[in-house]
Every structure is written in C-alpha cells, then in structure tokens.
Amino acid sequence: MVQLVSRTASAPPKGRQAEFPRQLVHRSDPEDVFPTGWTRQTDTQFSVSARWPSAHRFFAPVAGRYQDPLLIAETMRQTTMLLAHAEFDVPVGDQFVMWELGYISSPERLALDAHPEHLDHPDGSWDITVDVACSRIKRRGRGLGAMSLELLLHRSGTRIATGGGRISCTSAKAYERLRGNRRAGTGALVPLLPSVAPREAGRDSERDVVLAPTPRQGLWRLRLDTGHPTLFGRPNDHVPGVLLLEAARQAANAVRPGRAFLPVSLEAAFLRYVELDRPCWIEAWIVPADTRSTTRVHVRATQDGETVFTSTLDSPDRTEEAQGIRS
C-alpha cells in the first residue's frame, strides 16, 4: 500500500468545472457520479472537486448520523479513473485493475452535523476536494501501464480521509485476449441467491444485500444481482470491486450483530478476477485491533479454492448505541 499521506496542495480546484463524460469515471447514471471537475497542479499532482449527495439510493447515511465511509472508497476509485483517462491518456475502452485500495478516517469527520455553521448546499450535500499525488508511474508505449496514488479528501479545510491505491491498465485488445470467452458473459443474468436478513448485513433493503446464508457461522456465499443500478452500474464480465468492498462491509456487520459497523478504516487487496458464474465464498472474523475501543474485522473471499480478495476494516465501538443501521 502506498503511504497514506498527501503531498499535494489543498487549494480547491479552479480549473475544469464543466460536466465531463460519465464514462471517464466508469459510471452510466449521473446519480452515481461524484467528481465535478479537476485541475492539474504538476505533471503528477492534481486536485479534483467532488460532491457527496445528502441522500443516495445506495451510499446512504449510516445509523442516520454519519456519511457512508464507502463514499471515500468510491470517490477515490472514480478520481483515479478520471485522471487516468483525462490526464494520462488512457483510452476509454481500456480496462483497469485496482490491485490495492485503502483509506483512514474517523467518525467525527464523517458526522452529518460536522461544520453546522457551514452549509455547502441547501440540500445538505457536501463539497469535497481530493488532492492526488501519482507515483511509480509505468508507461506502456505512449500509454499508462500502472501507477500508485496517494489521496487526501478534505472539506472546508478539514481533512476527511487519507487514502491510497495501486492500479494497472490493460488495452482493450489485450483484455480481450486475457479474458477470452469470459467476455461473452458480459451483462448476462446470474441466478439470484437467497439473501441474509438485511438488518444482519447492515442494510435496509434486500436488494442491496450481497451475502447469501450458509450453514456455517461467519461464512456466506456472494450474492449477485447484475441488475443492481449501483453495484452493477454497467455491464461487466466479472464481479466489480465496489461489490467486493460492500461484501466486506456487510460481513463485518454480520460478525458484530446488533451494532452499527462504521468502516472508518479499510484496506483491501484485489488478487484475481472474481467470476460471475462460479461460487464465491465470503468469510469474516474479528481480529485484535490497535485500541480497545475499535473492532477490527478481516474478510477473505475465495473462489475455486483460491483467495481472490482480502480486506481489513475498523469500526469505532462507540457507534454501537445506534439502534438502526441505515437512516
């Protein structure tokens, strides 16, 4: 994982604020697009403006009191895609692999009543600035082969989160060769498995649940709804990374029942493509945390006997008094 410290300046972007094509952030629905503009500061440093909605069909407030921390991860992902296409000349048809992603935040930075003296917008949405530093840049001809990123998210001068990630890029032709006949399954319907109880997974709606029950405690089968408007925002030939992050969050909720799990810290490694047409198993267990007031959960996904994804998530125990999970 790259060092979770931003080296870029924290000035709000003053450059390109016009709307840009949604395909630059790999989203088809405007509701799921969070960046609003960007500015180049140096050849490797950028500032990206974003807006977090006050209400979202999927990234809804947690316990009615906190912004959904996975907004951090999704904003980081979209920022990475945007800059890769717009500033590093990656063709829209090329494919990305997000090998690593992580962030660190705190509940007070995500509280919905943070900065009550400063209302960003009448609807309660937040203006976010993301400072980005790119490093370990590897070129593939004139294009981008891989790079690491450090990101700092802040609002009104207050740091919300720091994070980092590592990506690689594959040309459309190379991806076709790599995936072979798997590409034929793009957009195919997958049989929808039974759902665990939404409350067990920390969700309100069964449609948002990505875990199917098994007889073994702490083990679930990944549940895929390829028609989900956010988790499958566009046709795909493998399980999207955002869905794996959500599976980790839901598994963390399930192993700590009755208490809202607020993943203020997350580290994830995406090790292999997760195929749509074969069972994927999600396993979670509580591990020792750095402080007594924090619950740490480790999650592992396996497919065909191999580990394909891992994640470690931290939640402060003081959110446990919340009776509900979502707002």
Side-chain angles (χ1 to χ4, degrees), residues 213-220 283 285 300:
T214 74
R216 180 178 148 191
Q217 185 175 6
L219 178 70
W220 304 267
E283 185 179 13
W285 60 95
R300 176 174 60 202

Side-chain angles (χ1 to χ4, degrees), residues 11 17 31 36 55 66-67 90 101-102 115 117 129 156 164 174 192 197 234 236 243 245 271 286 300 311-312 320:
Q17 299 294 334
E31 184 177 344
T36 58
Y66 303 99
Q67 290 279 13
V90 175
L101 184 147
H115 299 300
E117 74 287 353
T129 299
S156 303
L192 188 61
R234 62 178 190 164
N236 215 321
L243 194 148
L245 293 176
L271 306 175
I286 296 175
R300 176 174 60 202
S311 183
T312 301
E320 68 186 78

Side-chain angles (χ1 to χ4, degrees), residues 267-282:
E267 290 189 7
F270 304 86
L271 306 175
R272 296 173 61 94
Y273 289 112
V274 180
E275 307 297 349
L276 299 170
D277 60 352
R278 300 205 294 276
C280 178
W281 306 97
I282 306 295

